[in-house]
Amino acid sequence: MASLTSQLTQLFGDAFAALGLDPDHGVVVISQRPELAQFQCNGALGAAKSAGKNPRELAQDVIDIVSTNEALEELSIAGPGFINIRLDDDYVAKATSAIATADRLGVEPPETPVNVLVDYGGPNVAKALHVGHLRPAIIGESVKRLFAYAGHPTVGDIHVGDWGTPMGQIIALIRERHPELPFFDPEFAGPYPDEIPFTEADLEAIYPIAAALAKEDESFAAEAQAANLALQQGAPGYLALLDRIRAISLAEMKRTYDDLNVDFELWYGEARVHRRIPELIDRMREAGAVTESQGALVVDVREPGDKNEIPPLLLTRSDGSFMYSTTDLATIDERVDDLGIEAIFYVVDDRQSLHFEQLFRAARRGGIVSDHVLLEHDPFGTVNGPDGKPMRTREGDLPPLRGLIRDAWARAAERLEESDLATEYPAEERDRIVKQVGTAALKYGDLQNHRTSDYIFDLDRFVSFVGKTGPYLLYSAVRIRSILRIAAEQGLEPGELVAPDRDAERNLMLQLVRFPDVIARAIEFRAPNHLAEFAYDVATEFNRFYEACHILSETDAGRQASWLRLVDVTLRVLLTLLDLLAIEVPERM
């Protein structure tokens, strides 16, 4: 089914077309002045010149054509030619009922589904997840869920950093400290041990030491580069050691991502594609995309009309070792050729914009992807502290993500205690609610901002049950559930929606019918903040409705059943929005 605004746009577009004008002038939008109108059409201003009329005269001509439509109760002209629109209440009820009974609440399936992959992780093995991993995880998870909900086959890939120079540095330092391990014995015939004498904490400590040592000690830097080259050339002991390191790191990553209700269908890493790189470079040579520069292989990605200089993409160093840009190209090759992906969205911070511009151009120039494959970088801003600068600890480090999550849980526990919520529930259930509330606070505090915006991390504000926050939305959803539960206990059931007879009821219906448009807009801009904003609008409008319409004490049975249906639809819309934001809702509080 078409959304309500789409139906109105079609109606007014046909009217402009009947006047010999472009139907695109008939776009109908929600009114910015709800006290004056519910919707408005502003096309008469843009079409007046080609029509040879003043805008108000043209607006009246449009009104004369559409005024017989039963959906329209009142039409008026405001200002220089804006058409104000008010809908018939019966039509509003029918539109809301259509949303309630439609698959996916009125979101139409795509005519041609596209195989989508969202790349939204990017953590490095042997390193703790930190605050910089928060945004790609939760924005990417929401974008993935959006495309899947809309009807596109969609998968998420974490794209772990488990290859290249850092791995060479880690292996070199482990070899210095533990030369006795069989992974470093060229004569060892295997099998290599499944366990290594390191924990995730050990690996996290090794990484910065190895990186610093490579900067300070030229001989160690050379050893690390040699280890990296050996790894890339397939040294069996090094590959086996890397597998063990990866397993330890991924187990810890999964625990943290689980805490955020974030999951990946693919837990692939850069190392996965290293075997396909030589053949890939050969194909790119044949396509004429590869040139040699001082012993290195590069792809010239400049294009006519570039306003800024775009450096060539480096494929190999002079020693033959590969770059992470090379593994990125091989990853695209795997995704398109092996997985049949037709659109790849990279939810990666905006500092990588140049890299992705080079990468996408090189992929097309080298024949890795055809024109019908969409490659898109969807950047995001930073999480800032109270000083407006990117968050750091007192020591200057990035705060660990697991610490932020636990801080959110601790603050949520305090707020629930202060609000006397869930205090008498069993300990296991209360602990689950605390985590759901704290995680919702953390995620909604981020997702309510457009992904390209920086924002101030303010946990005290995020965990509040008042205002535009995750806990407020959870409490609203739980409250709506409670109403339906109490009604069912009293033998009351939702019935057919009838025309609204008061503003709060009408306004809630008009809010709910926006759902398909909000989903479409969030998908178009890959922007979950539209979902977050709309969820707040729905919850707020429902609470106004609940205050004005005393559902359980209503004496008109038909009206009461209609209100209960409206409550039911509201709950479905709100739960769907929160699920698309990957926010879990408690059964009760």
Side-chain angles (χ1 to χ4, degrees):
M1 58 171 283
S3 70
L4 181 55
T5 53
S6 296
Q7 294 175 45
L8 294 173
T9 293
Q10 182 68 48
L11 175 65
F12 280 77
D14 290 346
F16 277 96
L19 294 170
L21 300 169
D22 189 339
D24 287 347
H25 291 299
V27 172
V28 171
V29 297
I30 295 171
S31 174
Q32 298 301 307
R33 298 285 301 278
E35 72 277 10
L36 300 178
Q38 297 164 348
F39 300 89
Q40 62 187 60
C41 176
N42 305 328
L45 280 75
K49 184 175 182 180
S50 56
K53 298 181 178 181
N54 71 61
R56 289 183 64 90
E57 182 182 0
L58 177 58
Q60 186 59 55
D61 291 342
V62 172
I63 287 175
D64 290 342
I65 293 173
V66 302
S67 59
T68 57
N69 190 287
E70 63 179 11
L72 308 177
E73 178 178 284
E74 183 180 338
L75 298 167
S76 61
I77 303 172
F82 305 118
I83 300 175
N84 284 337
I85 305 164
R86 183 179 177 83
L87 300 181
D88 174 78
D89 281 341
D90 283 323
Y91 187 77
V92 171
K94 289 177 182 177
T96 309
S97 182
I99 290 288
T101 56
D103 291 339
R104 292 179 297 196
L105 295 167
V107 174
E108 293 184 301
E111 292 183 6
T112 307
V114 174
N115 292 325
V116 172
L117 185 145
V118 184
D119 181 324
Y120 59 103
N124 294 321
V125 301
K127 288 184 70 176
L129 295 173
H130 54 68
V131 64
H133 294 110
L134 175 64
R135 303 208 75 189
I138 63 178
I139 295 171
E141 179 72 16
S142 183
V143 170
K144 180 189 73 174
R145 292 184 181 213
L146 264 169
F147 275 93
Y149 186 81
H152 298 283
T154 306
V155 296
D157 186 2
I158 190 173
H159 194 59
V160 177
D162 58 358
W163 202 243
T165 299
M167 297 304 101
Q169 292 170 351
I170 291 169
I171 289 173
L173 188 58
I174 292 176
R175 184 177 59 195
E176 280 195 0
R177 293 182 173 184
H178 298 276
E180 76 285 355
L181 292 175
F183 305 101
F184 305 118
D185 182 356
E187 305 299 323
F188 188 76
Y192 292 99
D194 292 332
E195 305 291 334
I196 57 175
F198 305 106
T199 64
E200 174 64 15
D202 295 330
L203 294 174
E204 290 174 7
I206 286 172
Y207 189 100
I209 294 172
L213 194 58
K215 291 181 180 179
E216 301 164 0
D217 187 331
E218 290 184 4
S219 63
F220 179 79
E223 290 177 17
Q225 185 56 33
N228 180 39
L229 183 58
L231 183 66
Q232 294 185 1
Q233 291 175 342
Y238 288 6
L239 289 173
L241 178 58
L242 178 60
D243 283 341
R244 311 312 185 259
I245 293 172
R246 184 193 297 109
I248 293 171
S249 289
L250 287 183
E252 179 60 29
M253 288 179 194
K254 286 181 179 180
R255 282 190 284 271
T256 302
Y257 283 124
D258 284 348
D259 288 340
L260 289 173
N261 194 26
V262 168
D263 188 32
F264 302 91
E265 285 71 27
L266 305 178
W267 289 80
Y268 293 170
E270 295 175 277
R272 176 183 172 85
V273 297
H274 78 275
R275 290 185 178 87
R276 68 192 302 144
I277 289 176
E279 187 269 339
L280 176 71
I281 293 178
D282 288 342
R283 282 163 42 205
M284 295 181 72
R285 282 183 187 272
E286 292 175 7
V290 179
T291 58
E292 188 173 324
S293 176
Q294 299 178 353
L297 297 182
V298 302
V299 180
D300 184 355
V301 294
R302 292 174 298 176
E303 293 181 356
D306 283 340
K307 294 182 180 180
N308 299 313
E309 182 177 352
I310 307 293
L313 186 81
L314 188 60
L315 289 178
T316 70
R317 297 185 180 89
S318 57
D319 65 3
S321 59
F322 305 128
M323 311 296 294
Y324 78 89
S325 53
T326 327
T327 56
D328 275 358
L329 283 172
T331 298
I332 292 175
D333 187 53
E334 180 191 41
R335 289 168 173 175
V336 173
D337 279 7
D338 296 1
L339 304 180
I341 299 300
E342 298 166 283
I344 307 175
F345 301 104
Y346 291 83
V347 181
V348 181
D349 80 58
D350 56 9
R351 291 172 295 181
Q352 295 294 317
S353 295
L354 175 59
H355 167 69
F356 284 110
E357 184 66 32
Q358 294 172 296
L359 181 69
F360 298 163
R361 291 185 182 188
R364 298 198 187 282
R365 188 158 296 181
I368 297 172
V369 297
S370 60
D371 290 340
H372 85 277
V373 176
L374 174 62
L375 302 175
E376 180 177 289
H377 176 211
D378 296 315
F380 54 83
T382 58
V383 181
N384 295 337
D387 59 358
K389 299 178 181 179
M391 280 187 72
R392 298 276 179 179
T393 65
R394 292 180 180 178
E395 294 75 26
D397 300 322
L398 292 170
L401 183 52
R402 66 170 76 96
L404 293 180
I405 295 171
R406 279 151 183 75
D407 286 347
W409 291 350
R411 299 288 182 87
E414 293 172 2
R415 288 298 169 88
L416 285 165
E417 187 74 30
E418 292 168 2
S419 304
D420 196 26
L421 293 171
T423 53
E424 298 180 359
Y425 296 167
E428 183 178 349
E429 182 182 5
R430 176 174 169 75
D431 182 62
R432 184 170 60 252
I433 293 171
V434 163
K435 291 179 178 179
Q436 289 171 326
V437 171
T439 304
L442 185 66
K443 296 179 75 170
Y444 191 83
D446 184 304
L447 292 170
Q448 67 177 293
N449 306 282
H450 190 278
R451 59 175 168 76
T452 60
S453 302
D454 302 338
Y455 74 92
I456 302 295
F457 188 87
D458 184 350
L459 198 50
D460 284 334
R461 179 169 60 86
F462 294 169
V463 298
S464 174
F465 279 92
V466 178
K468 192 182 293 185
T469 68
Y472 169 77
L473 294 179
L474 295 191
Y475 184 76
S476 297
V478 169
R479 183 186 199 186
I480 297 170
R481 268 190 180 142
S482 176
I483 295 167
L484 292 171
R485 184 168 54 248
I486 293 171
E489 290 170 355
Q490 296 179 7
L492 304 174
E493 296 290 339
E496 181 180 349
L497 280 170
V498 299
D501 68 352
R502 60 199 73 184
D503 286 343
E505 182 183 8
R506 183 180 300 108
N507 291 341
L508 179 56
M509 289 184 179
L510 289 169
Q511 193 71 254
L512 295 173
V513 296
R514 292 177 53 206
F515 180 81
D517 289 328
V518 172
I519 296 297
R521 188 168 180 81
I523 290 175
E524 178 184 0
F525 295 103
R526 330 308 184 209
N529 66 292
H530 294 293
L531 305 177
E533 186 74 26
F534 184 53
Y536 174 75
D537 290 343
V538 168
T540 301
E541 208 63 68
F542 174 82
N543 287 327
R544 291 175 182 148
F545 160 76
Y546 184 66
E547 290 174 6
C549 303
H550 302 149
I551 302 165
L552 298 178
S553 61
E554 174 61 34
T555 56
D556 183 329
R559 178 69 57 185
Q560 184 182 56
S562 176
W563 284 351
L564 284 172
R565 176 63 61 196
L566 191 53
V567 173
D568 178 66
V569 180
T570 302
L571 180 61
R572 289 172 53 207
V573 167
L574 188 54
L575 290 179
T576 300
L577 290 167
L578 291 171
D579 183 66
L580 291 172
L581 294 171
I583 291 175
E584 295 181 318
V585 181
E587 286 296 322
R588 59 178 185 167
M589 276 192 194

